[in-house]
Amino acid sequence: MNEIQRSKIVLKILNQIYPKTPIPLKHKNLFTLLISVALSAQTTDVNVNKVTKKIYPKYNKPEHFVKLGRKKIEKLIKSTGFFKRKAKSVYLLSKQLIGKHGGKVPNNFDDLERLHGVGHKTASVVMSQGFGFPAFPVDTHIHRLAQRWGLTNGENVIQTEKDLKKLFPKKYWNKLHLQIIYYGREYCKARECYGLTCKICTTCYPKRKSPIKTKKA
Ligand code: SF4
């Protein structure tokens, strides 16, 4: 079986398990989506949602965060981890949005990736989940699953994104990246590959005898 055949199986099974793909990070608008994605680095979406639940009813625009200042932002987001770095990004990107984009979140990769602390993955999530633009945000989890399913040779997240974009038609990208994230959380965790039990692997690799080792992103 080649990777095109495996990709079709993956798509079919994921569509059966996850017909709907609600956005995991709770937000009120495009700006708060951007902030939530920035806060989600090195922590769980559940943790981010717990923290932002108390913040967003009161603070949900760039002006609010500029007014708050870095120290107060640090206090509000402390439990998301790496809070000093994250608070700096939230503060500076809010200032950039006001100064260069009239307080609005830009709808293109170049401008998004120029915002403080916003990398390609964060920009991809905002483009995909916020603007509905076809994107394929690849984090370490998607990278891991794509390797285990034999959809990429797994050198790094950049390569994995290219490989997945070649294998799957554009119209599926936005939904599929969420489906893979859900599947990884539920079944295919970093240290818990059972190798022989899940339908995706038993269908794609009927002769596999043990879990495959994955390369780090
Ligand atoms: S068998 Fe292992 S690698 Fe395959 S989907 Fe299940 S947990 Fe993931």
Side-chain angles (χ1 to χ4, degrees):
M1 193 181 291
N2 62 29
E3 62 262 32
I4 297 171
Q5 291 164 315
R6 287 196 290 273
S7 71
K8 287 186 178 153
I9 290 168
V10 165
L11 193 63
K12 193 173 163 206
I13 293 176
L14 290 179
N15 275 332
Q16 283 165 356
I17 308 176
Y18 305 110
K20 292 216 167 86
T21 52
I23 296 173
L25 286 166
K26 303 265 185 279
H27 57 284
K28 279 187 172 294
N29 50 35
L30 285 165
F31 172 70
T32 49
L33 173 64
L34 171 63
I35 297 303
S36 286
V37 182
L39 295 180
S40 71
Q42 313 288 332
T43 188
T44 62
D45 291 350
V46 173
N47 190 30
V48 172
N49 288 340
K50 213 163 99 189
V51 170
T52 57
K53 199 177 167 187
K54 293 180 198 144
I55 301 176
Y56 292 161
K58 204 168 166 194
Y59 309 108
N60 47 54
K61 292 180 181 167
E63 294 82 355
H64 296 153
F65 288 88
V66 171
K67 208 169 164 194
L68 272 172
R70 274 167 67 173
K71 286 287 158 207
K72 283 188 184 155
I73 299 172
E74 279 180 13
K75 271 192 190 160
L76 288 172
I77 64 162
K78 197 162 185 180
S79 55
T80 66
F82 302 95
F83 64 96
K84 282 187 190 285
R85 200 175 69 203
K86 289 180 183 175
K88 187 178 174 188
S89 295
V90 170
Y91 176 70
L92 290 178
L93 77 80
S94 297
K95 270 183 110 172
Q96 279 176 294
L97 289 177
I98 294 167
K100 292 189 181 154
H101 303 283
K104 300 242 184 307
V105 177
N107 63 352
N108 65 80
F109 279 97
D110 285 349
D111 285 336
L112 279 168
E113 289 180 26
R114 274 190 206 111
L115 296 172
H116 194 94
V118 176
H120 182 64
K121 199 219 100 188
T122 299
S124 296
V125 174
V126 172
M127 287 301 285
S128 153
Q129 297 176 4
F131 293 107
F133 180 90
F136 214 131
V138 172
D139 60 8
T140 53
H141 304 288
I142 294 188
H143 180 68
R144 177 179 76 246
L145 271 67
Q147 288 179 68
R148 289 178 175 175
W149 295 339
L151 304 178
T152 179
N153 66 15
E155 288 306 324
N156 51 51
V157 286
I158 299 163
Q159 186 58 46
T160 300
E161 183 178 333
K162 275 190 198 151
D163 290 341
L164 293 176
K165 281 179 166 173
K166 259 188 243 153
L167 278 174
F168 296 99
K170 238 182 204 180
K171 61 179 176 183
Y172 299 128
W173 293 356
N174 289 357
K175 189 170 182 180
L176 190 57
H177 103 265
L178 284 168
Q179 289 171 318
I180 300 176
I181 286 172
Y182 291 148
Y183 192 90
R185 285 178 188 165
E186 200 170 344
Y187 302 103
C188 192
K189 296 172 189 175
R191 289 168 219 271
E192 294 176 36
C193 170
Y194 303 108
L196 310 165
T197 52
C198 300
K199 200 173 164 192
I200 290 180
C201 283
T202 49
T203 313
C204 292
Y205 295 98
K207 291 184 186 151
R208 185 187 277 172
K209 296 273 184 283
S210 58
I212 75 157
K213 288 205 173 94
T214 48
K215 295 177 208 160
K216 291 240 184 263

